[in-house]
Amino acid sequence: MGDPLRPEGELTRSREALLAALREEGIRDERVLAALARVPRHEFVPPHLVPYAYDDCPLPIGCGQTISQPYIVALSTEALALAPTDRVLEVGTGSGYQTAILAELAGTVYTVERVPELSRAAEQKLGALGYRNVRFRVGDGTKGWPDEAPFDAILVTAGAPRVPEGLIAQLAPHGRLVIPVGGRFNQELTLVHREGGRLVHRHLCPCTFVPLIGEEGWT
Ligand code: SAM
């Protein structure tokens, strides 16, 4: 993408620097790093923020929402341990950047967003970039996508007060769920999976996401 403020070569250099920083911070899965190297984050941010697209921070995308921090995208995706045939549910499409990363690594991605404009823009963007394995829906993602359940992996990209029961019910027996859980302003990124029939929660890192708003989220 031609940006007068940051020419192509500079974007490439800042993307390489970001990948090196993610390795330093402990991201080890080469498939995840390769996906981050392929997906052009600068295509998912507003034009005036293109110079910052490869900074390791969230950025505003309009409608009061944000594109997630690359480290959190990488860590969440790594924790999901995706196989190429996996069916993945994403709650909170936002810009569609994390959706594209999931689409690189999984079989089919089902993504739900409550803000119609964001869902529409993400669908157009991913279509233009050639992703054919993503299905979009507008609605309350705390209810999941019952018609397509169960899912091998579920990723929630907004902060929840608790893990929605509806999502647990839609997780396959071997499934992995990653979700930020906690207060309205600070959460713990949490991996939930089943071990011997019971649910195990593992904290991955502290984080700050916009609130998950819905029946099983915040009001
Ligand atoms: N991962 C996205 C990206 O890379 O651009 C960022 C997602 S943003 C941090 C969180 C998104 O979750 C927002 O777009 C917000 O509108 C959406 N959201 C909040 N509550 C939701 C709900 N109940 N169902 C679906 N989407 C929801």
Side-chain angles (χ1 to χ4, degrees), residues 116-161:
E117 295 115 279
L118 292 178
S119 179
R120 230 180 354 257
E123 185 165 5
Q124 275 166 11
K125 177 62 65 188
L126 268 75
L129 289 172
Y131 292 97
R132 300 284 174 263
N133 58 340
V134 182
R135 289 180 55 194
F136 296 82
R137 176 176 273 189
V138 173
D140 176 5
T142 67
K143 297 181 194 160
W145 194 317
D147 304 349
E148 295 294 347
F151 298 99
D152 303 299
I154 300 178
L155 175 58
V156 180
T157 71

